[in-house]
Amino acid sequence: MRSLLSLDNSTASTNSTNHHHKWVGPIGHCVITVDVNGSGDFRSVQAAVDSVPANNRENVVIKISAGYYIEKVVVPVTKPYITFQGAGRDATIIEWHDRACDRGPNGQQLRTYRTASVTVFASYFSARNISFKNTAPAPLPGMQGWQAAAFRISGDKAYFSGCGFYGAQDTLCDDAGRHYFKECYIEGSIDFIFGNGRSMYKNCEIHSIATGFGSIAAQYRNTEEEKTGFAFVRCRVTGTGPLYVGRAMGQYARIVYSYTYFDDLVTHGGWDDWESTNIHTHNRNKTVLLGVYKCWGPGAEALKGIPSGQELDYNSAHRFLVKSFVNGRHWIAPSDS
């Protein structure tokens, strides 16, 4: 398997020659096996992560055999360069069931960000051919405290290929850092992709299980200086509605769909710019970017010609079409983009 870090190695080697900087990236390769039935090095994914030394400098591939791994997993910030490699999106599943209203060991409510079945704080994390689930029941609209994340990515330069993310409200916490999702399946009902990541979703299926109403993406960019935003490229939006395709939870939120197919599930108006709940909104229509470019399908018409959305031209859309949006040329191998 070609590492997504291979470009970093070659680039850094050149830089170290030219500028006399010692390369401190991953050196070497290590494989750890996990099998829930006991045939691997470990039975649990967390035990495998725990075995990786702090300040790891190797590319560590954790091969996770087919099966259900019912556990809560955390990859700490001190353990970069880890890959979770499953046996297939439908074969290898890590799942847990926390909700925001549940109480943690300290007796306090978990709140949304601590509900994730898998949380990654480390940089240079990747996952391939594996699914992450939060199995808490889906809330009815208006229910409080039922946010239940399947995955939280808070590390920089994270790559996902052929992965599944399953939940209802707040399925995927795209929290912080640069991230690239390729050919993934993401399922949920309300704000099921949310956070302030700088992320590209390419050739993904975004599947709504909303009842009553739902929303796909809630983006939190709050200042003009932040480079964050969600770029959806050649995706498919399927499932049930009515559905907002994006909500601007930050004053400068950016969500752009390009070349994306929409089922007939988009609510009239398509976008929610959060004006009704934010007191700093008098210039919001000038600072929020909720855009579409060459989208299609029966639901795409609901996104056109509305005040809170924008139909982009090529010059406006181009930066959201290419992996340089996440500086991908520097850390994603060409075969992986």
Side-chain angles (χ1 to χ4, degrees):
M1 180 186 70
R2 185 176 183 186
S3 168
L4 78 158
L5 306 174
S6 58
L7 286 188
D8 254 3
N9 274 301
S10 58
T11 302
S13 298
T14 301
N15 289 343
S16 65
T17 301
N18 294 339
H19 303 289
H20 308 291
H21 290 163
K22 184 179 179 181
W23 171 235
V24 292
I27 299 170
H29 187 80
C30 173
V31 176
I32 300 170
T33 57
V34 180
D35 187 287
V36 70
N37 297 312
S39 297
D41 299 322
F42 299 96
R43 286 179 179 267
S44 79
V45 178
Q46 187 65 59
V49 172
D50 291 344
S51 75
V52 177
N55 304 311
N56 164 61
R57 290 298 178 197
E58 285 189 304
N59 276 320
V60 178
V61 176
I62 300 178
K63 290 188 174 182
I64 308 169
S65 297
Y68 285 85
Y69 296 82
I70 303 173
E71 56 177 311
K72 196 158 177 167
V73 178
V74 176
V75 179
V77 69
T78 56
K79 298 188 179 186
Y81 313 119
I82 288 177
T83 295
F84 286 2
Q85 182 173 308
R89 194 186 86 197
D90 298 325
T92 303
I93 296 108
I94 302 174
E95 65 176 52
W96 198 246
H97 50 259
D98 279 341
R99 299 169 300 168
C101 62
D102 293 337
R103 298 191 180 275
N106 62 1
Q108 301 297 311
Q109 285 192 349
L110 292 173
R111 305 181 69 119
T112 304
Y113 282 75
R114 293 195 293 272
T115 63
S117 303
V118 176
T119 299
V120 175
F121 295 109
S123 294
Y124 294 102
F125 175 84
S126 62
R128 298 171 185 266
N129 305 320
I130 186 171
S131 284
F132 309 97
K133 290 188 179 183
N134 190 312
T135 57
L140 296 172
M143 294 181 72
Q144 299 296 312
W146 281 59
Q147 298 92 334
F151 197 97
R152 173 184 173 185
I153 178 61
S154 301
D156 194 23
K157 299 179 181 176
Y159 178 88
F160 302 85
S161 174
C163 294
F165 302 86
Y166 296 84
Q169 185 172 357
D170 294 354
T171 301
L172 174 56
C173 179
D174 191 343
D175 181 28
R178 289 163 286 186
H179 313 137
Y180 194 93
F181 298 81
K182 179 184 177 183
E183 296 172 356
C184 292
Y185 175 92
I186 306 162
E187 180 178 288
S189 58
I190 300 169
D191 297 343
F192 58 96
I193 301 171
F194 75 101
N196 198 23
R198 179 179 170 187
S199 301
M200 177 164 282
Y201 295 81
K202 187 173 181 181
N203 296 321
C204 293
E205 181 173 358
I206 314 297
H207 186 77
S208 168
I209 56 169
T211 57
F213 78 91
S215 53
I216 297 174
Q219 212 277 324
Y220 287 12
R221 181 173 179 253
N222 274 309
T223 68
E224 193 172 4
E225 291 72 33
E226 291 178 276
K227 296 180 179 180
T228 61
F230 298 156
F232 296 90
V233 182
R234 302 189 188 280
C235 293
R236 291 182 60 84
V237 176
T238 61
T240 57
L243 191 71
Y244 289 115
V245 301
R247 303 212 287 171
M249 296 188 76
Q251 183 74 20
Y252 289 80
R254 295 194 298 189
I255 303 170
V256 175
Y257 291 89
S258 303
Y259 301 113
T260 290
Y261 168 86
F262 291 90
D263 266 356
D264 188 13
L265 46 65
V266 179
T267 190
H268 179 71
W271 303 96
D272 179 5
D273 63 8
W274 216 255
E275 275 193 289
S276 61
T277 59
N278 192 309
I279 61 173
H280 304 293
T281 57
H282 59 286
N283 286 321
R284 215 173 161 81
N285 62 341
K286 299 177 183 177
T287 60
V288 165
L289 175 56
L290 305 174
V292 294
Y293 178 68
K294 295 197 173 182
C295 293
W296 58 290
E301 287 300 315
L303 300 172
K304 297 179 180 178
I306 55 174
S308 57
Q310 298 181 39
E311 291 183 64
L312 305 181
D313 59 20
Y314 178 78
N315 289 334
S316 301
H318 180 259
R319 64 184 302 186
F320 302 100
L321 295 172
V322 290
K323 68 180 180 181
S324 58
F325 178 66
V326 295
N327 298 134
R329 184 172 62 85
H330 301 291
W331 58 277
I332 301 172
S335 59
D336 283 337
S337 62

